Short mmCIF file of all heavy atoms in Angstrom, two decimals:
data_model
loop_
_atom_site.label_atom_id
_atom_site.label_comp_id
_atom_site.label_asym_id
_atom_site.label_seq_id
_atom_site.Cartn_x
_atom_site.Cartn_y
_atom_site.Cartn_z
N GLU A 118 14.09 6.77 17.63
CA GLU A 118 12.88 6.20 18.19
C GLU A 118 12.14 7.21 19.06
O GLU A 118 10.90 7.22 19.12
CB GLU A 118 13.18 4.93 18.98
CG GLU A 118 14.11 5.13 20.17
CD GLU A 118 15.58 4.95 19.82
OE1 GLU A 118 15.92 5.23 18.64
OE2 GLU A 118 16.35 4.54 20.69
N GLY A 119 12.89 8.09 19.72
CA GLY A 119 12.26 9.13 20.51
C GLY A 119 11.56 10.16 19.65
O GLY A 119 10.50 10.70 20.02
N ILE A 120 12.14 10.47 18.49
CA ILE A 120 11.51 11.43 17.58
C ILE A 120 10.18 10.88 17.05
O ILE A 120 9.18 11.59 16.98
CB ILE A 120 12.47 11.75 16.42
CG1 ILE A 120 13.73 12.45 16.95
CG2 ILE A 120 11.77 12.61 15.36
CD1 ILE A 120 14.78 12.70 15.89
N VAL A 121 10.18 9.57 16.71
CA VAL A 121 8.93 8.95 16.25
C VAL A 121 7.89 8.96 17.37
O VAL A 121 6.70 9.27 17.14
CB VAL A 121 9.21 7.52 15.77
CG1 VAL A 121 7.90 6.79 15.45
CG2 VAL A 121 10.12 7.52 14.56
N LEU A 122 8.31 8.63 18.59
CA LEU A 122 7.39 8.63 19.71
C LEU A 122 6.87 10.05 19.99
O LEU A 122 5.70 10.24 20.35
CB LEU A 122 8.08 8.07 20.96
CG LEU A 122 7.23 8.01 22.23
CD1 LEU A 122 6.01 7.12 22.01
CD2 LEU A 122 8.06 7.51 23.41
N LEU A 123 7.73 11.04 19.84
CA LEU A 123 7.32 12.42 20.04
C LEU A 123 6.23 12.81 19.05
O LEU A 123 5.24 13.46 19.42
CB LEU A 123 8.53 13.35 19.90
CG LEU A 123 8.27 14.85 20.12
CD1 LEU A 123 7.91 15.11 21.57
CD2 LEU A 123 9.49 15.65 19.72
N LEU A 124 6.39 12.42 17.80
CA LEU A 124 5.37 12.72 16.80
C LEU A 124 4.05 12.01 17.11
O LEU A 124 2.97 12.61 17.02
CB LEU A 124 5.87 12.31 15.41
CG LEU A 124 7.08 13.07 14.85
CD1 LEU A 124 7.53 12.46 13.53
CD2 LEU A 124 6.75 14.54 14.68
N LEU A 125 4.13 10.74 17.50
CA LEU A 125 2.92 9.98 17.83
C LEU A 125 2.19 10.59 19.02
O LEU A 125 0.95 10.71 19.01
CB LEU A 125 3.28 8.52 18.10
CG LEU A 125 3.73 7.68 16.91
CD1 LEU A 125 4.12 6.28 17.36
CD2 LEU A 125 2.62 7.62 15.86
N GLN A 126 2.94 10.98 20.05
CA GLN A 126 2.29 11.54 21.22
C GLN A 126 1.67 12.91 20.91
O GLN A 126 0.60 13.23 21.43
CB GLN A 126 3.29 11.68 22.38
CG GLN A 126 2.63 12.13 23.67
CD GLN A 126 3.57 12.08 24.85
OE1 GLN A 126 4.75 11.79 24.70
NE2 GLN A 126 3.06 12.36 26.04
N ALA A 127 2.35 13.70 20.07
CA ALA A 127 1.78 15.00 19.70
C ALA A 127 0.48 14.84 18.94
O ALA A 127 -0.51 15.55 19.18
CB ALA A 127 2.79 15.79 18.88
N ILE A 128 0.43 13.87 18.01
CA ILE A 128 -0.78 13.63 17.23
C ILE A 128 -1.89 13.06 18.10
O ILE A 128 -3.04 13.53 18.07
CB ILE A 128 -0.48 12.70 16.05
CG1 ILE A 128 0.50 13.37 15.08
CG2 ILE A 128 -1.75 12.30 15.33
CD1 ILE A 128 1.00 12.46 13.98
N LEU A 129 -1.55 12.04 18.91
CA LEU A 129 -2.56 11.43 19.77
C LEU A 129 -3.06 12.43 20.82
O LEU A 129 -4.25 12.45 21.15
CB LEU A 129 -1.98 10.19 20.44
CG LEU A 129 -2.96 9.40 21.33
CD1 LEU A 129 -4.14 8.90 20.50
CD2 LEU A 129 -2.28 8.23 22.01
N GLY A 130 -2.16 13.25 21.35
CA GLY A 130 -2.58 14.26 22.33
C GLY A 130 -3.55 15.25 21.74
O GLY A 130 -4.53 15.65 22.40
N SER A 131 -3.35 15.65 20.48
CA SER A 131 -4.30 16.56 19.82
C SER A 131 -5.65 15.90 19.64
O SER A 131 -6.70 16.54 19.81
CB SER A 131 -3.73 16.99 18.47
OG SER A 131 -2.51 17.68 18.62
N MET A 132 -5.65 14.60 19.32
CA MET A 132 -6.91 13.88 19.16
C MET A 132 -7.65 13.76 20.48
O MET A 132 -8.88 13.95 20.55
CB MET A 132 -6.64 12.50 18.57
CG MET A 132 -6.08 12.53 17.17
SD MET A 132 -5.60 10.89 16.56
CE MET A 132 -7.17 10.04 16.62
N VAL A 133 -6.93 13.46 21.56
CA VAL A 133 -7.57 13.37 22.88
C VAL A 133 -8.13 14.72 23.30
O VAL A 133 -9.25 14.82 23.82
CB VAL A 133 -6.55 12.84 23.92
CG1 VAL A 133 -7.12 12.94 25.33
CG2 VAL A 133 -6.18 11.40 23.62
N ASN A 134 -7.37 15.79 23.05
CA ASN A 134 -7.86 17.13 23.39
C ASN A 134 -9.14 17.46 22.63
O ASN A 134 -10.12 17.96 23.21
CB ASN A 134 -6.79 18.18 23.07
CG ASN A 134 -5.66 18.16 24.07
OD1 ASN A 134 -5.83 17.78 25.23
ND2 ASN A 134 -4.48 18.57 23.63
N ALA A 135 -9.13 17.20 21.32
CA ALA A 135 -10.31 17.52 20.51
C ALA A 135 -11.52 16.72 20.96
O ALA A 135 -12.64 17.25 21.05
CB ALA A 135 -10.01 17.25 19.04
N PHE A 136 -11.31 15.43 21.26
CA PHE A 136 -12.43 14.56 21.64
C PHE A 136 -13.00 14.95 22.99
O PHE A 136 -14.22 15.13 23.14
CB PHE A 136 -11.96 13.11 21.65
CG PHE A 136 -13.07 12.12 21.84
CD1 PHE A 136 -13.84 11.70 20.77
CD2 PHE A 136 -13.34 11.59 23.10
CE1 PHE A 136 -14.86 10.79 20.95
CE2 PHE A 136 -14.36 10.69 23.28
CZ PHE A 136 -15.13 10.28 22.21
N MET A 137 -12.15 15.10 23.99
CA MET A 137 -12.63 15.36 25.34
C MET A 137 -13.16 16.78 25.49
O MET A 137 -14.19 17.00 26.14
CB MET A 137 -11.49 15.10 26.35
CG MET A 137 -10.99 13.67 26.36
SD MET A 137 -12.28 12.42 26.49
CE MET A 137 -13.10 12.86 28.01
N VAL A 138 -12.48 17.75 24.90
CA VAL A 138 -12.98 19.13 24.98
C VAL A 138 -14.31 19.24 24.24
O VAL A 138 -15.23 19.95 24.67
CB VAL A 138 -11.94 20.11 24.41
CG1 VAL A 138 -12.52 21.51 24.32
CG2 VAL A 138 -10.70 20.12 25.30
N GLY A 139 -14.44 18.52 23.11
CA GLY A 139 -15.71 18.51 22.39
C GLY A 139 -16.83 17.92 23.23
O GLY A 139 -17.95 18.45 23.25
N CYS A 140 -16.54 16.83 23.94
CA CYS A 140 -17.54 16.22 24.82
C CYS A 140 -17.97 17.19 25.92
O CYS A 140 -19.17 17.34 26.21
CB CYS A 140 -17.00 14.94 25.43
SG CYS A 140 -16.95 13.52 24.33
N MET A 141 -17.00 17.86 26.53
CA MET A 141 -17.32 18.79 27.61
C MET A 141 -18.13 19.98 27.09
O MET A 141 -19.07 20.44 27.74
CB MET A 141 -16.04 19.28 28.28
CG MET A 141 -15.30 18.25 29.10
SD MET A 141 -16.25 17.69 30.56
CE MET A 141 -16.76 16.05 30.00
N PHE A 142 -17.78 20.47 25.90
CA PHE A 142 -18.51 21.62 25.36
C PHE A 142 -19.96 21.25 25.05
O PHE A 142 -20.89 22.01 25.37
CB PHE A 142 -17.83 22.12 24.09
CG PHE A 142 -18.57 23.23 23.41
CD1 PHE A 142 -18.51 24.52 23.89
CD2 PHE A 142 -19.34 22.98 22.28
CE1 PHE A 142 -19.21 25.54 23.28
CE2 PHE A 142 -20.03 23.99 21.66
CZ PHE A 142 -19.96 25.28 22.16
#
Side-chain angles (χ1 to χ4, degrees):
E118 61 270 29
I120 296 175
V121 173
L122 180 60
L123 181 67
L124 295 175
L125 291 176
Q126 186 172 5
I128 295 172
L129 183 61
S131 299
M132 295 174 61
V133 171
N134 286 333
F136 188 83
M137 298 310 302
V138 173
C140 285
M141 290 295 106
F142 176 78

